[in-house]
Amino acid sequence: MAKQSAGWVAPQKRWLFPLLAALTVSTALAFILRAAFDSSCDRQRFEVPEKRFHSAPRTGTGTGTATNPLSFMKSKLVLLVSHELSLSGGPLLLMELAFMLRGVGSEVCWITTQKPSETDEVVHSLEHKMLARGVQVLSAKGQEAIDTALKANLVVLNTAVAGKWLDAVLKENVPLVLPKVLWWIHEMRGHYFKMEYVKHLPLVAGAMIDSHVTAEYWKNRTQERLKIRMPETYVVHLGNSKELMDVAEDSVAKRVLREHVRESLGVQNEDIIFALINSVSRGKGQDLFLRAFYDSLQLIQEQKVQVPSLHAVIVGSDMTAQTKFETELRDFVALKKIQNRVHFVNKTLTVAPYLAAIDVLVQNSQARGECFGRITIEAMAFQLPVLGTLAGGTTEIVVNGSTGLLHPVGKEGITSLAKNIVKLATHVERRLTMGKRGYERVKEMFLERHMAHRIAVVLKEVLQKAKNHKHP
């Protein structure tokens, strides 16, 4: 079996635990268990006209004592509706918005439409985290949910599936709530295009989507399959949290994290680590990554190139689930006899230690790719080059040849990815230069303040529409 790490442990460095604990939910948004972001769409890219969808300016507020762009939300009542409460990207991203709004004095209520019948530790933990930050957690059904929706200044539906809650709970009150609904959509999978989910979509105040590619996909798919029109659509690229950036820019913290993670994996400091940090599923492409990694080892051997030992790390493992796919991954590693070079790490909320420890991030999501892919900008904050698929939001983050290298999705991408692994393994300067350029791109476009500005533009317009509808 390939080497399994139970997670990062550094008992002799007690001060590191408070450091890691300081990483907020936003640090975790781009990693594993993002079922809401899985893509099973066929391969196709869209050329998006620049002005097809609304985009907030790239620049932020600057630094220092600048006014919080969301300050106008003070005292506003906001209802957030999520189809689930889990460690997947959609719910965690909505939680981050909840905390941002609480930070400016908004009254925030949270509803989870689908909860497990039995007590769930993850749900309990996340609800406790929200309650501690002043977010009110309500039952999805009952008069309190209806009253809150009617009274709220803004209702945010998170993911397409949350649309079922409207008719199920609000019933005859749906028309009164739709004019103040912002629908935050993250999905790229075709089976979400069902009328039972999105029949009210044309009537809401607006849709907010994480990338231009996804926005264009939704526009085309709703028209072609459902014969409905999208509402006014806003593209909002995400941003890294201040907490993650603090760690990424702390050379001492990064060095200590790097040393201890590598020690736990049995990897030497001079070795080169290529890591894929995501939920272990076929849509995330771990199988194709491992095949490309094995091919890269063969190429290096054939070319007789002298390089440090190469390692592949899969962060997001969960053998307790005993999935057929993960078993296939481990069987492949055993068959190719590369157990000493491939490491499976259990799923974790804290990705910063692994970003500090690796040398290259592999973003290998398949089909239409990621809607955005938060882990990509987090890796770039740590000055890591990215090897990504030529699909989805990755194409709006990674500048091919500058901050990373892109390869095709599917089996035809294996050879390209293998060659790109060799390129970065054999050219240290190229690897470092790409990493620095990626960091500069993050500082220019993908910080929390940039995201706050982009969201603020959307919320102002949605609030104005709701006000105009109420007082024509």
Side-chain angles (χ1 to χ4, degrees), residues 79 81 145-146 148-160 162-184 195-208 228-232 234 458-459 461-470:
L79 175 61
V81 182
I146 297 172
T148 304
L150 291 171
K151 188 168 56 174
N153 301 102
L154 173 70
V155 177
V156 180
L157 295 181
N158 198 45
T159 75
K164 294 178 67 175
W165 175 82
L166 292 170
D167 286 321
V169 176
L170 299 184
K171 299 178 180 177
E172 69 273 9
N173 294 302
V174 169
L176 300 176
V177 176
L178 290 179
K180 54 185 176 182
V181 168
L182 173 64
W183 210 320
W184 201 356
M195 287 299 290
E196 63 179 303
Y197 295 156
V198 299
K199 69 177 182 180
H200 296 299
L201 187 56
L203 303 176
V204 302
M208 187 164 69
I228 63 175
R229 288 183 175 274
M230 288 287 290
E232 192 161 6
Y234 306 87
V458 177
L459 297 191
E461 291 200 18
V462 170
L463 288 176
Q464 187 60 50
K465 287 181 182 179
K467 183 178 180 181
N468 294 342
H469 188 274
K470 187 174 183 181

Side-chain angles (χ1 to χ4, degrees), residues 41-62:
C41 313
D42 55 13
R43 183 184 174 200
Q44 183 175 359
R45 293 189 64 206
F46 297 97
E47 296 300 325
V48 185
E50 289 186 6
K51 297 185 178 180
R52 181 71 60 85
F53 304 103
H54 296 277
S55 293
R58 290 183 178 182
T59 55
T61 60

Side-chain angles (χ1 to χ4, degrees), residues 169-295:
V169 176
L170 299 184
K171 299 178 180 177
E172 69 273 9
N173 294 302
V174 169
L176 300 176
V177 176
L178 290 179
K180 54 185 176 182
V181 168
L182 173 64
W183 210 320
W184 201 356
I185 295 173
H186 314 287
E187 296 94 337
M188 289 278 276
R189 295 164 69 177
H191 66 258
Y192 287 107
F193 292 88
K194 296 180 179 179
M195 287 299 290
E196 63 179 303
Y197 295 156
V198 299
K199 69 177 182 180
H200 296 299
L201 187 56
L203 303 176
V204 302
M208 187 164 69
I209 300 181
D210 305 330
S211 66
H212 290 279
V213 171
T214 309
E216 184 73 4
Y217 173 62
W218 269 84
K219 175 181 177 294
N220 293 338
R221 197 68 176 238
T222 51
Q223 286 183 350
E224 295 169 3
R225 175 178 287 193
L226 303 179
K227 309 302 180 186
I228 63 175
R229 288 183 175 274
M230 288 287 290
E232 192 161 6
T233 301
Y234 306 87
V235 172
V236 173
H237 285 157
L238 309 182
N240 285 329
S241 70
K242 182 179 182 300
E243 290 80 5
L244 181 125
M245 293 303 299
D246 286 344
V247 178
E249 295 173 336
D250 187 330
S251 59
V252 175
K254 285 198 299 182
R255 185 177 70 251
V256 175
L257 292 171
R258 179 182 176 89
E259 290 173 358
H260 283 271
V261 170
R262 284 177 171 250
E263 182 180 351
S264 73
L265 296 174
V267 176
Q268 300 300 310
N269 184 59
E270 64 274 10
D271 294 347
I272 304 174
I273 298 180
F274 293 80
L276 197 158
I277 305 176
N278 224 319
S279 55
V280 173
S281 66
R282 204 170 299 278
K284 301 301 182 181
Q286 285 91 352
D287 53 341
L288 303 182
F289 165 51
L290 289 179
R291 289 173 61 180
F293 178 73
Y294 174 75
D295 288 352

